[in-house]
Amino acid sequence: MSVSKNDVFESDAELLKRSPEELEAEGRKLDAQKAGARVGLTSDEIIINGGRPLKGRIEVRGAKNLATKAMVAALLGKTPSVLRNVPNISDVRVVAGLLALHGVLITRNEDQTEWRLDPSNVEVAHQADIDAHAGSSRIPILFCGPLLHRLGEAFIPDLGGCRIGDRPIDFHLDALRNFGAVIEKLPSGISLTAPNGLKGANIELPYPSVGATEQVLLTAVLAEGQTELRNAAIEPEIIDLICILQKMGAIITVEPNRVIFIEGVPELRGYDHRAIFDRNEAASWAAAALATKGDVFVGGVKQEEMMTFLNVFRKVGGDFDVHDDGIRFWHPGGALKPVTIETDVHPGFMTDWQQPLVVALTQAEGTSTIHETVYENRFGFTDALNKMGAEITVYKDGLNGDTRRVMRREFEQAAVITGPTPLTGADIEVPDLRGGFSHLIAALTAEGQSKVTNLGIISRGYENFIEKLRLLGADFVFES
Ligand code: EPZ
């Protein structure tokens, strides 16, 4: 199956925003809308009858936060790349669409988990097309270095992504300027050129940003000379990206203390790589097992990358067994225990893990505290949980006088969760990706019926989650 420029992907969320008439005019995705009309549900909504433990086995596929970046890395090769274990999520489709617009020829195997990306004919894309297809993803910013290397110019539209704070791109732009990029602000995005080519640089990030570290890696590998990056992020997905770049011919050394050296090389070839599993999806299903008093085997998950999560899961009172092909997570009975957590960069407790876990903590006996230190606005999802009966107070400026392990940043938030509180079904709307999945968990945990709307956002990062709910015995109505 091949993907061409005329067949760019759109995010499900965007398609779902169109009216049935608009979709009909374009001749696509009508089945879902028509089916929804039959029972009064759109394919962006689900009705969940909660209170049943989730039980069974599901598989997680490659990480959203690696696969999308690996696809961008393919732009750097002289020969085609093959990425395996690709998740069927809309963020992947958005990146594929952008690559196709830039002349990358994409083909997929039958089950669409193996993608071949041929960058032989990379070309400049029209700004209006890029803008129209960038969707709600933040990945476009990572096209800067590869496009500057390949084409000498790049246009990046204003970025989307979850509404969880300011999410600026200053670290990215400062790093690119250090490499010699010239950046011009346009009404609909930024335009970049590199009149004197890109040269290795000494860069210290103000914070170990995942995206800015990836930006530096994707730019430095083909820049002339050596790059030293200090205060780099070292998330497992970044190490996996480094493995990909090394397969392509890059020379990258990861030193202690968040220092990464990159020796620029004149050219890179394509890679063949199996994407690392999705830690965020794994933690989400684990939390769902705990909150619903269930027992879920999450296939494809490895222990090492989950260690920090597993410690917290155990402290809260969950149990798990590590197998060669995955991890079984279950609620062993008895009361869940409260915890205090600070979200942090790796190897700390990920910011993306707190939302699903908070639902389980509403069922713990006592007071839990979550300090969110990575993003400044990541507790919006708790409003819906409170509507369902939870007792969660959000402190927008954090808690004073608290002894904390993580260094204070200029902002922080804290959520104090008092439990156990029975949850009851309600109509709730998905606010963002991880918060949205926590809403699903809350609806599955709650007694009674919930209607969860704005589901399209969840398909940005959770592959086939409806099918997985079915496999785990959830009781719901969904019309696709
Ligand atoms: C990545 O976002 C992930 N997204 C996020 O996952 C994840 O939560 C985050 O890393 C932290 O692990 C993708 O990989 C696509 P950052 P990213 O740069 O790279 C500030 C999910 O749900 N910052 O590490 O955008 C920023 O505002 C998503 O899957 C600047 O100030 O995160 C934040 O406070 C959500 N200036 C902090 O750094 C910059 O130029 C960390 O952001 C860049 C970042």
Side-chain angles (χ1 to χ4, degrees):
M1 196 180 303
S2 75
V3 179
S4 78
K5 244 189 353 186
N6 301 322
D7 185 23
V8 288
F9 294 89
E10 286 173 279
S11 76
D12 293 352
E14 277 170 9
L15 279 176
L16 291 165
K17 275 185 213 145
R18 314 257 186 93
S19 69
E21 292 73 28
E22 281 175 286
L23 290 168
E24 188 151 39
E26 295 169 29
R28 54 178 149 179
K29 283 267 178 168
L30 263 179
D31 291 351
Q33 297 283 341
K34 279 184 179 159
R38 256 196 346 255
V39 295
L41 277 181
T42 73
S43 57
D44 207 17
E45 300 170 336
I46 186 170
I47 289 178
I48 293 179
N49 297 306
R52 288 167 68 119
L54 292 186
K55 287 192 172 163
R57 174 175 178 141
I58 46 118
E59 305 293 320
V60 299
R61 208 173 289 289
K64 161 176 96 67
N65 292 346
L66 176 273
T68 44
K69 287 86 182 264
M71 292 167 73
V72 179
L75 276 172
L76 294 164
K78 283 259 181 218
T79 54
S81 291
V82 175
L83 183 62
R84 288 174 285 112
N85 201 25
V86 179
N88 180 14
I89 52 174
S90 55
D91 268 16
V92 160
R93 294 193 285 278
V94 169
V95 177
L98 286 173
L99 288 171
L101 281 174
H102 285 94
V104 176
L105 183 64
I106 304 175
T107 45
R108 295 172 287 178
N109 70 346
E110 206 161 310
D111 71 3
Q112 304 194 12
T113 60
E114 191 173 304
W115 292 51
R116 185 173 184 276
L117 305 135
D118 183 350
S120 310
N121 296 309
V122 170
E123 59 189 8
V124 176
H126 293 293
Q127 288 187 6
D129 288 343
I130 300 175
D131 205 17
H133 294 291
S136 51
S137 167
R138 282 181 67 77
I139 311 298
I141 189 71
L142 295 179
F143 279 65
C144 292
L147 287 181
L148 283 175
H149 282 303
R150 289 301 303 263
L151 303 169
E153 62 179 274
F155 167 73
I156 309 300
D158 283 335
L159 298 179
C162 286
R163 296 187 303 271
I164 50 182
D166 271 354
R167 306 197 74 184
I169 52 169
D170 49 338
F171 304 165
H172 295 253
L173 301 186
D174 289 348
L176 287 159
R177 284 193 192 98
N178 269 309
F179 283 109
V182 175
I183 301 167
E184 191 191 344
K185 181 83 189 96
L186 303 176
S188 58
I190 51 170
S191 146
L192 298 95
T193 49
N196 302 312
L198 296 171
K199 309 239 172 5
N202 276 324
I203 296 166
E204 174 152 8
L205 295 177
Y207 179 79
S209 148
V210 169
T213 299
E214 292 159 342
Q215 184 74 261
V216 170
L217 288 167
L218 292 167
T219 307
V221 282
L222 283 180
E224 194 189 318
Q226 180 161 305
T227 295
E228 179 179 334
L229 175 63
R230 293 182 301 284
N231 208 20
I234 49 165
E235 267 62 8
E237 295 77 19
I238 286 179
I239 302 300
D240 209 34
L241 181 63
I242 292 175
C243 290
I244 288 174
L245 294 168
Q246 189 180 47
K247 284 176 177 176
M248 297 176 82
I251 301 173
I252 302 172
T253 318
V254 182
E255 302 274 334
N257 298 325
R258 301 190 176 279
V259 176
I260 301 181
F261 286 112
I262 304 117
E263 288 175 43
V265 294
E267 66 175 51
L268 296 171
R269 56 181 177 267
Y271 63 80
D272 183 326
H273 190 79
R274 182 182 166 82
I276 186 175
F277 75 94
D278 198 308
R279 296 184 296 149
N280 295 338
E281 191 190 358
S284 301
W285 289 112
L290 192 60
T292 63
K293 298 195 166 78
D295 187 341
V296 176
F297 190 101
V298 188
V301 177
K302 301 256 187 293
Q303 181 179 14
E304 192 180 330
E305 291 80 4
M306 296 294 291
M307 272 186 174
T308 307
F309 178 83
L310 293 174
N311 284 335
V312 172
F313 192 80
R314 180 165 279 158
K315 278 192 201 168
V316 175
D319 213 342
F320 60 87
D321 256 348
V322 178
H323 297 250
D324 285 350
D325 59 343
I327 301 182
R328 176 187 161 212
F329 297 92
W330 76 95
H331 188 309
L336 296 184
K337 296 182 276 285
V339 284
T340 294
I341 297 167
E342 296 140 23
T343 64
D344 195 4
V345 293
H346 187 76
F349 190 90
M350 281 195 84
T351 166
D352 305 287
W353 291 339
Q354 54 98 343
Q355 304 82 348
L357 190 77
V358 162
V359 185
L361 293 177
T362 65
Q363 305 309 301
E365 267 183 16
T367 304
S368 298
T369 306
I370 311 261
H371 299 275
E372 171 58 54
T373 77
V374 180
Y375 288 111
E376 59 270 58
N377 180 18
R378 226 179 174 183
F379 285 123
F381 70 98
T382 58
D383 289 346
L385 304 193
N386 283 339
K387 185 171 161 188
M388 297 171 85
E391 256 184 60
I392 305 173
T393 309
V394 174
Y395 295 85
K396 292 205 181 307
D397 298 314
L399 289 170
N400 285 330
D402 228 73
T403 315
R404 297 253 323 275
R405 186 179 63 84
V406 174
M407 210 173 60
R408 270 176 193 273
R409 296 182 71 195
E410 61 276 22
F411 60 81
E412 69 172 52
Q413 281 191 293
V416 175
I417 305 129
T418 309
T421 49
L423 301 182
T424 45
D427 287 358
I428 50 182
E429 187 183 336
V430 165
D432 60 65
L433 178 59
R434 307 296 165 198
F437 199 86
S438 83
H439 285 186
L440 281 186
I441 301 176
L444 292 159
T445 307
E447 285 301 326
Q449 197 168 80
S450 297
K451 184 171 170 185
V452 187
T453 55
N454 211 15
L455 279 189
I457 292 185
I458 299 182
S459 59
R460 278 190 47 209
Y462 291 87
E463 179 183 77
N464 299 339
F465 64 94
I466 298 287
E467 180 55 24
K468 289 176 186 175
L469 288 175
R470 213 182 301 279
L471 284 170
L472 296 176
D475 181 1
F476 63 89
V477 182
F478 175 79
E479 292 289 334
S480 64

